[in-house]
Structure formats: C-alpha cells, structure tokens
Amino acid sequence: MKLYPLFADLRGRPVLVVGGGTIGERKIAALMEAGACVTVGAVDLTPALREWVDHQRITWRAGRFEENWLDDVWLVIAATNDAALHARIAALAQARRVFVNVVDDAALSSFHVPAVIDRAPLTVAISSGGHAPMLARVLRERLEALIDPVWGLLAWMLGDMRTRIRARLPDLAARRRFYARLIDGPVRSLLRREQFAAAQTATEHLLESADDRPAGSVVLVGAGPGDPGLLTLRGLRALNEADVVLHDRLVSAQVLALARRDAERIEVAKQAGNHHATQEQIHALMLHHAAAGHRVVRLKGGDPFVFGRGGEELEFLRRHGIAYEVVPGVTAALACAAYAGIPLTHRDHAQSVRLVTAHCKHSIDTLDWRALAEERQTLAIYMGTSGLSAVQQNLIRHGRAASTPFALIQNGSRPEQRVVIGTLADLAERAAAHDIRSPALLIVGEVAALAGTLAWFGHPPLEAATLGTPALNGCNSSVRY
Ligand code: SAH
C-alpha cells in the first residue's frame, strides 16, 4: 500500500472520535493540540476526557454511535473495541467521503495516523503504511534523538523572515546555498544557547552577505564499491548539497539515490570497453557547471585516487582556478576483501598489499612482474576480466607458485556478489567456467584461501571442487559442495 502523505489543518474544524477509552483519549489529545473541534461519542469516558468535557474543551455525545454523528465532520476516528461497529463506521464514512481512521485496522482506514516527531512548527511524520507500526515507532525514537529542539526554533525564526529572504535571494539555488550555510553555521548553536537576538543578527548578516552567484566548486567523492552503507558521512553530505552530480557508470543506483532529489544527475564515464564520454568531456562538464556557480559532485566508484583518474581531474580544476575538495571512498580492494572474508594482510601469510591495475594490454606489459611474483604479499588486481590469463602466466613465469590461492570477486559488496576461489594454476579456466564479468577484482596470495572459511556475505565462494559438477557449470549457484 502506498500512501499519500499530507498534513491536515484542523484548526476549528469538527472531528469525531468514537470511543471514550484510553486510546480515544490519546487521539483526542493530539487532535486538540492541532486545534480541532473535537466531539467524542461514547457511553462512558475516562476521567481525563470527562474533565475536558467539563471544561468545554471537547463536546460529548453520550450513548451508542448513530449515523447522524457523521454530519458535518471532516474526519472520524473509530477507537472502540467493537469490530462490527468499526466496520459500520468505516462504511458510512466512506459513503459520505469523510476520511476515517479505524484504530489498528489499516484495511478499514482511509487515513493513517503517523508516528510524529514534534518540533513545531517542524513536524516529522512516519508511517509504515499499516504494515509495521512498531517499526515506525522505533524509527521515531531514533530520530527524536537526532533532531534537537533547535530545529523548531530555527523554523519559527525563518518563518518570520521568509518573505524577506525570498525578496533578497530570488534565485532558488542562491536561496538553497543561504539555507545550507545558515544550517551549518553558528546560528543553530546560538539558538541552542537561547541567544535569540544574536542568532537573529547572525542570520541577518548572512542574508546581507549572501552572494547571488557564488563561485562554483567541485567535490570529488568516492562512492565506494556499491553498498551504500560504505559511503562516508562527508560523501553523503556533499551529495546532499550538490546541484549537479557527475557520476561514473559503476556507481550503484542506491548511492545515487542519496543525492538531493532535484540535483541534476549526469552519467559520464565508461564501463570496460564502452566509452560514453572521454576524460576531456568529463573535464569540460565539470568546468561548465562549476563556472555556472553550481556545486558539483564528481562521484566515482571506490576511491577517487585509486585508479580513478582523480589526480588528472584535480590538475585540470587547479589549472582553471576552480575550488575543489576530495572525499575518499572505500576502494574495491578493501571492500571486496572485507565482503569476501579475506584479510589483506595476515601475520602468517602476507606483510604487504599491492594495488595493481591490469585493465589493458599496455598496463599488463608495463608491470614489474618480478616484484609482483614475490612471496608473502597480497596482490589486489583491478582489472577487466580479459587479462586474467596474462596475469596467471606472468606470475607463474616469474616465480610465484602455481599453488598460490586466488579469489576473484565480482560485484563486491553488492547483492549480486560472486566469489570464485582456487589456485593460480587454474585461474583463467575457473573464471571462464563461472563466467566472471566486470566489475571484478582479483586477489592473489595465501590470504585468498581464507575466503573458504571466513566468508560471511552473500553466496558462499565457489570452490575448486565445484568445477565439473554438472549443476554448477557456468553457473551462479549458491550451493557449496
Ligand atoms: N576507483 C575505483 C577503481 C576504478 S577501476 C576504486 O577505488 O575501487 C575499476 C575496477 O575496479 C573494476 O574493473 C574492478 O576491478 C574494480 N571494482 C570496482 N568496483 C568493484 C566491485 N563492486 N566489485 C569488484 N570489483 C570492483
């Protein structure tokens, strides 16, 4: 069920609550806070409800529900313990186009009452669409702790200034920047200390000095390997503030979804063998948007400085006088190792790790194979899957034992992750048998064998014994034999 969220202005509007018990009382208290004109229909009332009736804060229709109680009301809430009565109220309300909420009965309700975090005038409302109200409540408790009362004060203050802010900063992007600076600046802390005059002055100052067209900037953000949980908090913040997101194809949809809703998203980079844009075009796009005063996030898979051409992009930005920042990301080697249960270093097996790229013939030919073939080190090889047999042959030819374990991780940290493990001797053959595709990372070294026992994420690794098992030929099965 997908609900349309709305906040209702019930000030002075008649609302009926059927049921005078504790649940009815709770509903009525919230309705009164919103200024509704509440009538409670019930045979009997709780002491609190009676008191509200005595003080004429609500009206009481004593007795059993009658259809004409629905005359002229905007909403009705049924909060009795009589299921048949609930069904009747729901049907009658429906027929009259009056919104009805039946307590604990999502199917009979035409509106739901969310769990609320009240920072008036700021209100956060959470609904599970009737599926799991308990979840909504737990989430509310967590958010309660996150959203301090200052947000409400800030909302009051800005409400008073709204017309002036719009007049001073007619441009939406400029206004957004003003609000971002306000929220991150000293004003909130002044409000927290109840220094209201100082907060007001600081806000005025910020408004006066707000640049209509500030210099644009570029933040190079590492998006990590796919799991959105691996994005850093700084990365998330940059995404929240970005006007434009220039992202690589490898960046996962879940990470992209964290960008501001109205940010312009532009896919710029290539996947192996499928060039969508050249590096020059990427540079031109960054320059174009930054020069227009936009806050650009250049979102790259993994870490921007690990085989990501981040260095070239910064050199370009520097040459053109564009301000930049860099937010590191979890690079594929770290993520794939972690999500496959492979410690990259281990006291018994490897004292160093090398990050290597073998994307094309050129990079394979220029590698120092003698050094790469040395023992007691782990290789993390970023690669297109085509170079596997060259890696295998070169390592063995330069002295690495054919029995050295490897792990090949496709789509590391993503739900579709697959891990193939084996030894160098059968690397290319096994990768082909399991149809390993890009993006995939190769880990070579004794530690790779640990995936066999330490794996914890997704499907268990496909081990050597699986080769030749008919059910697993060319497969992506999760069965381990
Ligand atoms: N800057 C990136 C690397 C870009 S090069 C980083 O720091 O991770 C692209 C290569 O990274 C791919 O060919 C693949 O070898 C590796 N890679 C990226 N994401 C991956 C993933 N989720 N699983 C496996 N390998 C991945």
Side-chain angles (χ1 to χ4, degrees):
M1 186 182 344
K2 175 103 175 122
L3 301 173
Y4 182 74
L6 59 86
F7 289 91
D9 178 0
L10 292 178
R11 283 171 305 170
R13 303 211 154 105
V15 172
L16 173 69
V17 177
V18 184
T22 47
I23 297 181
E25 178 187 314
R26 239 187 305 131
K27 303 281 173 198
I28 290 169
L31 287 165
M32 284 162 63
E33 247 183 82
C37 222
V38 183
T39 296
V40 56
V43 176
D44 202 3
L45 299 181
T46 64
L49 285 171
R50 247 171 222 287
E51 200 180 313
W52 292 340
V53 171
D54 290 345
H55 288 88
Q56 290 165 7
R57 298 181 62 196
I58 59 175
T59 312
W60 182 16
R61 281 192 190 257
R64 304 202 172 282
F65 172 77
E66 286 169 31
E67 185 177 347
N68 66 5
W69 290 6
L70 293 173
D71 291 349
D72 303 326
V73 301
W74 288 68
L75 296 178
V76 54
I77 295 179
T80 74
N81 43 24
D82 180 343
L85 176 60
H86 281 179
R88 194 168 144 240
I89 295 173
L92 289 169
Q94 207 87 340
R96 290 165 175 249
R97 307 279 192 271
V98 170
F99 272 115
V100 57
N101 175 259
V102 178
V103 167
D104 284 338
D105 194 330
L108 285 182
S109 300
S110 55
F111 78 93
H112 293 195
V113 181
V116 164
I117 299 156
D118 182 5
R119 299 285 181 272
L122 212 66
T123 309
V124 180
I126 304 161
S127 160
S128 68
H131 288 280
M134 203 53 215
L135 265 192
R137 256 168 252 151
V138 171
L139 191 57
R140 191 204 60 172
E141 278 161 25
R142 302 207 170 165
L143 291 174
E144 276 282 359
L146 276 181
I147 306 173
D148 69 27
V150 160
W151 286 97
L153 294 174
L154 198 59
W156 277 123
M157 193 178 83
L158 292 173
D160 287 344
M161 297 175 68
R162 190 153 171 235
T163 330
R164 259 189 324 120
I165 295 171
R166 288 182 83 95
R168 164 80 180 87
L169 303 170
D171 176 48
L172 178 67
R175 255 192 335 266
R176 193 176 292 127
R177 273 190 292 275
F178 162 75
Y179 282 116
R181 262 191 271 162
L182 180 76
I183 287 166
D184 292 334
V187 172
R188 270 201 304 151
S189 125
L190 288 168
L191 286 173
R192 202 170 287 122
R193 285 178 271 147
E194 305 205 354
Q195 298 180 6
F196 301 121
Q200 182 85 32
T201 312
T203 309
E204 300 283 355
H205 179 73
L206 203 60
L207 185 59
E208 283 325 304
S209 61
D211 238 344
D212 280 7
R213 188 164 272 286
S217 60
V218 176
V219 191
L220 233 61
V221 176
D227 178 349
L230 295 180
L231 187 72
T232 63
L233 290 176
R234 260 190 76 207
L236 180 63
R237 187 140 143 218
L239 275 176
N240 275 321
E241 291 172 358
D243 303 308
V244 179
V245 180
L246 304 177
H247 66 92
D248 287 356
R249 181 105 186 261
L250 260 186
V251 171
S252 76
Q254 290 93 322
V255 172
L256 265 183
L258 298 171
R260 220 183 58 215
R261 265 180 158 209
D262 54 343
E264 187 180 351
R265 293 162 168 77
I266 305 174
E267 183 184 311
V268 291
K270 57 208 164 58
Q271 217 178 19
N274 178 14
H275 292 252
H276 274 183
T278 63
Q279 193 64 34
E280 286 68 36
Q281 283 171 316
I282 296 172
H283 290 174
L285 272 169
M286 289 196 300
L287 184 58
H288 170 77
H289 287 285
H294 295 143
R295 281 175 305 179
V296 179
V297 160
R298 170 76 181 100
L299 190 61
K300 290 165 161 293
D303 179 88
F305 282 176
V306 178
F307 309 129
R309 306 188 76 164
E312 287 163 57
E313 291 178 12
L314 288 201
E315 281 158 9
F316 173 84
L317 293 170
R318 188 160 200 92
R319 269 203 308 281
H320 288 82
I322 306 281
Y324 58 77
E325 286 174 43
V326 183
V327 181
V330 178
T331 188
L334 301 187
C336 291
Y339 280 61
I342 300 171
L344 287 171
T345 65
H346 190 295
R347 274 204 299 178
D348 299 335
H349 309 298
Q351 279 108 0
S352 68
V353 191
R354 281 171 186 253
L355 307 187
V356 183
T357 183
H359 262 107
C360 57
K361 177 137 190 357
H362 175 72
S363 58
I364 289 177
D365 289 347
T366 50
L367 286 171
D368 177 356
W369 288 103
R370 192 186 305 277
L372 293 178
E374 276 167 21
E375 302 290 314
R376 298 193 63 79
Q377 64 174 341
T378 305
L379 306 180
I381 307 181
Y382 294 66
M383 56 191 325
T385 39
S386 55
L388 282 171
S389 54
V391 169
Q392 177 186 25
Q393 288 160 17
N394 276 304
L395 283 176
I396 294 175
R397 193 177 315 133
H398 288 85
R400 192 91 200 221
S403 59
T404 310
F406 79 82
L408 193 52
I409 301 127
Q410 175 181 333
N411 281 317
S413 88
R414 301 176 183 222
E416 323 82 84
Q417 171 174 307
R418 290 201 297 151
V419 180
V420 173
I421 58 179
T423 58
L424 263 187
D426 56 15
L427 167 60
E429 185 190 343
R430 291 184 45 65
H434 290 290
D435 192 24
I436 291 297
R437 308 229 171 142
S438 190
L441 182 107
L442 174 66
I443 296 179
V444 178
E446 275 60 33
V447 290
L450 293 172
T453 45
L454 300 182
W456 57 273
F457 178 79
H459 299 319
L462 299 155
E463 296 184 57
T466 59
L467 251 200
T469 308
L472 290 175
N473 271 348
C475 65
N476 55 13
S477 165
S478 63
V479 186
R480 191 198 318 201
Y481 286 87

